[in-house]
Each structure stands twice: as C-alpha cells, then as structure tokens.
Amino acid sequence: MLQLIRIVLGAPFAAIWSLLMRIRRSIYNRNGGKHRCQYPFPVINVGNLSMGGTGKTPHVEYLVRLLQNRYSLAVLSRGYGRKTKGFRFADHTSNSHEIGDEPLQYHKKYPHLPVAVDENRRDGIEKIKQVLPDTQVMLLDDAFQHLRIKAGLNILLTDYNNLYTDDHVMPYGDLRESPSAAKDAEIIIVTKCPSVLSQLHEKTIKEKLNPLPHQKVFFSYTTFLPIVPFNKKAKEQTNEIKSVVLLTAIANPQPLISYLKTQYKEFQSILFRDHKQFSTTDLEKVKQYVQRSLSPYRAVIVTEKDAMRLFKKNLHPLLNELPIYTLPIQVEFHQKYKQDFDQYILDYVEKNL
C-alpha cells in the first residue's frame, strides 16, 4: 500500500523535479561548460545520483591510500549534517556538529591529510589553495550535483543492489536527478558487489548502465576488517565476543547486518535514520539491549562513521559503561579491474599536474 501511495503521489512530482534538474544541468553544460569553474590541477570528484548509501566515504579513502604517498592531497566535503556554515579545516578540536561525520572520519584516520568543509565547493577549493598553495590534488566528496565547478575527473558510484538505471527520481524513487546525468561521469563504479562476480553478470550490468564510449565501468566490493576497541571498557575485554548489539545510523545497514549475523551467535540491532546524532536516550536503549543478552561476552558495534557521533561530552558517562567497538570497512576492486582503475587515476593526475 505504501509503495502504491508513493507511486501515485510521487510520480508527478518526480517528473517535474527530473525535468528541472535536467534543465539545470544542460544550462551549466552549455557551450562545453565554459561557465563552470575549472582548475589547472587535478580535481577528482566522487559522487552519486542516489540519496546515499553507495559507499562514497570508503571510495574516497581508497583514493587517499592510492595517492597520499605520491602527491600532496586535500579533501573537501560539504560536511553534511553539520550545524555550522562556511569554510572550516578539520583539526584536533573538531566534532561532527562542526564538520560532519565523514570529514571527521577522514581526519581521524588520516591526521596528516588536510580535510576541509564548505557548502560552496568553489570557495572551498580557493581557500584550501590560499592556505596550502602546494596542494597538488583535490579530492571532492559528493560534489556531482555541485555544478558551479567542473571536476577534471568525475567518479560516479551506483549500488550493485540498486543501480541508478533501475531507480526513479525522488519522491517516486531515491535519485537526486535523472539517470541521464550519468553522461557527465568519466568513471562509473558498481559498488557493494559480491566478492565473486561472474562475467555474465558483469555483462548484464554493463548493458543496463549502457556507458558511453568514453566511460569506464569498474566493479568494487566491501570487505569488513576486524573490530577495533573504541573505549577503555572494550580494551579491557579479553574473552571472545559471543553477543553483539549493532548501533547504527547509516543509509543502508543491510550488508552490515548480514555480515554480523554470520560472525556472532547472538545478534541484536538498533537502527536509526542516516546521520542521526546519538543521544543519552539512545545509549540507554543500547544498554538495555546489552543487559538482556544471554552471553556474558558482549559488545556494542558501530561503524566508523557512527563512532564520529559518539565524541560528545554528555555521552561519556554511558559510554564508559559499554564495551564499544568499531567495525572498519575497506573497498577493494575485483582483481581484473584493480590495476586498470589505479592506473587510470594515476595517469589522470600525472597528465594534469
């Protein structure tokens, strides 16, 4: 019934929104996009067409690992969900309220990497270059719809389980704009694939995406790394964990849930909307879930992004009572694509330095 209501009420609005976004993109791309700001140095944008959940953050981190020992990098994000405005650099005093979850995660994992936020990406790029003129490569997190600038290389992500060609523009579907906007990408990455993917399945997906002659299609998958103690109580645990409570507020928790169910005998989950700021009430609920666990060897698991919203003073008393672990994830490319993808990125950077 809900799906029927979404179709009946959402389709007309989706058609209007799709048309407006097509017009907007065509205006910016008119005359070869000469009115969009372009830069004489490598600018790589990682974005998508959907509302979220395609894996932008781990793909940006993949690029950081690929490039950081070769070039001087900086990462620029809008800082989605932050309570501040304008330009800010991440530093040791930053929290998710000030800069957002993802930028804080980049800063925590790569403390020597310059990370900045600005809702106006053009201003953000200029300010980074003013403060750090030796920056060679700029990585943009989620700027595919920010048409005031024209990145030298656009990487478009689409979820293996929900290709943009199978989706619709919001509110009928979950797309920010029409699938036709994909033509502005040089690279399309199908994310969250199975670790083993048949050639026939790859062929079927490529036929659905129908890439243009200049576009390259790659396939990536997500690997879950061993859990890491987040607080003192977790570090003090020495027994093998048998029971977990997942606390998460991400766009698509299903792959995470499926994985954890295979790893632990007893599993419970508390799910919230994407980017929700955790409260003491939320942690009290987590505490109740932990206490009703049958096994004495318990843990609370959060994603790295969720953990960024736990660095708040009012949460510390409750956090100290719970053994909390983070579950890192990492993107890998299928072996037949990894070398080609890495080389494509390196060639683009070298050519445009």
Side-chain angles (χ1 to χ4, degrees), residues 54-66:
T54 57
K56 289 187 298 294
T57 303
H59 281 82
V60 171
E61 291 181 356
Y62 182 95
L63 293 173
V64 170
R65 293 193 299 274
L66 176 65

Side-chain angles (χ1 to χ4, degrees), residues 4-5 12 31-32 54 69 83 107 114 161 197 222 243 286 344:
L4 179 61
I5 293 173
N31 298 324
T54 57
N69 293 327
K83 305 301 180 184
H107 177 66
N161 294 297
L197 197 61
T222 301
S243 174
V286 172
Y344 191 108

Side-chain angles (χ1 to χ4, degrees), residues 8-225:
V8 173
L9 299 181
F13 291 102
I16 295 170
W17 181 255
S18 179
L19 177 61
L20 292 175
M21 293 300 285
R22 285 190 187 199
I23 293 172
R24 174 177 179 265
R25 189 169 283 274
S26 66
I27 290 172
Y28 273 103
N29 284 340
R30 191 169 49 196
N31 298 324
K34 70 176 184 179
H35 298 298
R36 299 173 67 179
C37 193
Q38 302 182 53
Y39 301 92
F41 52 86
V43 177
I44 303 174
N45 171 42
V46 180
N48 59 18
L49 296 181
S50 72
M51 294 298 292
T54 57
K56 289 187 298 294
T57 303
H59 281 82
V60 171
E61 291 181 356
Y62 182 95
L63 293 173
V64 170
R65 293 193 299 274
L66 176 65
L67 299 172
Q68 67 178 346
N69 293 327
R70 294 178 170 93
Y71 309 100
S72 175
L73 302 179
V75 173
L76 176 63
S77 171
R78 170 189 171 190
Y80 182 83
R82 66 186 174 122
K83 305 301 180 184
T84 59
K85 297 290 184 181
F87 180 84
R88 283 174 180 253
F89 268 116
D91 61 31
H92 70 281
T93 68
S94 298
N95 57 47
S96 61
H97 280 285
E98 296 172 342
I99 63 173
D101 304 341
E102 292 89 349
L104 185 60
Q105 180 174 324
Y106 299 143
H107 177 66
K108 294 284 187 183
K109 293 184 75 170
Y110 307 100
H112 299 297
L113 172 72
V115 177
V117 295
D118 198 330
E119 60 271 23
N120 186 323
R121 306 306 202 289
R122 187 165 69 180
D123 288 351
I125 290 174
E126 291 172 359
K127 288 172 182 173
I128 288 174
K129 288 293 283 186
Q130 287 172 7
V131 178
L132 302 169
D134 293 334
T135 300
Q136 295 175 294
V137 183
M138 199 77 65
L139 300 181
L140 304 184
D141 179 354
D142 196 16
F144 196 74
Q145 284 73 36
H146 198 86
L147 301 181
R148 293 181 65 195
I149 62 173
K150 187 174 183 180
L153 179 61
N154 280 290
I155 300 175
L156 184 67
L157 308 183
T158 185
D159 190 324
Y160 166 85
N161 294 297
N162 188 26
L163 301 175
Y164 59 75
T165 50
D166 296 333
D167 205 347
H168 303 277
V169 174
M170 61 178 189
Y172 180 21
D174 294 315
L175 298 183
R176 302 176 185 183
E177 56 181 320
S178 166
S180 64
K183 67 181 183 299
D184 284 355
E186 287 76 35
I187 289 177
I188 300 172
I189 301 178
V190 182
T191 68
K192 302 183 180 180
C193 297
S195 57
V196 177
L197 197 61
S198 70
Q199 289 187 347
L200 179 60
H201 207 169
E202 287 182 21
K203 182 174 181 291
T204 301
I205 291 174
K206 287 181 179 180
E207 288 174 350
K208 280 188 174 184
L209 296 176
N210 192 25
L212 297 172
H214 74 280
Q215 293 179 315
K216 300 289 185 182
V217 178
F218 298 95
F219 294 82
S220 70
Y221 61 96
T222 301
T223 60
F224 294 98
L225 303 180

Side-chain angles (χ1 to χ4, degrees), residues 259-309:
Y259 170 75
L260 291 175
K261 283 183 175 179
T262 67
Q263 300 298 305
Y264 300 98
K265 293 181 178 180
E266 190 178 346
F267 173 80
Q268 303 176 82
S269 62
I270 301 175
L271 311 178
F272 293 105
R273 58 175 171 77
D274 195 18
H275 290 280
K276 182 188 185 298
Q277 292 290 336
F278 298 127
S279 66
T280 54
T281 302
D282 299 329
L283 290 188
E284 286 286 2
K285 185 177 180 181
V286 172
K287 185 177 176 181
Q288 292 173 9
Y289 273 52
V290 171
Q291 289 173 341
R292 74 186 191 191
S293 170
L294 298 176
S295 172
Y297 309 126
R298 309 158 178 166
V300 177
I301 292 181
V302 297
T303 67
E304 291 177 302
K305 187 161 71 169
D306 292 316
M308 298 303 107
R309 280 170 266 125

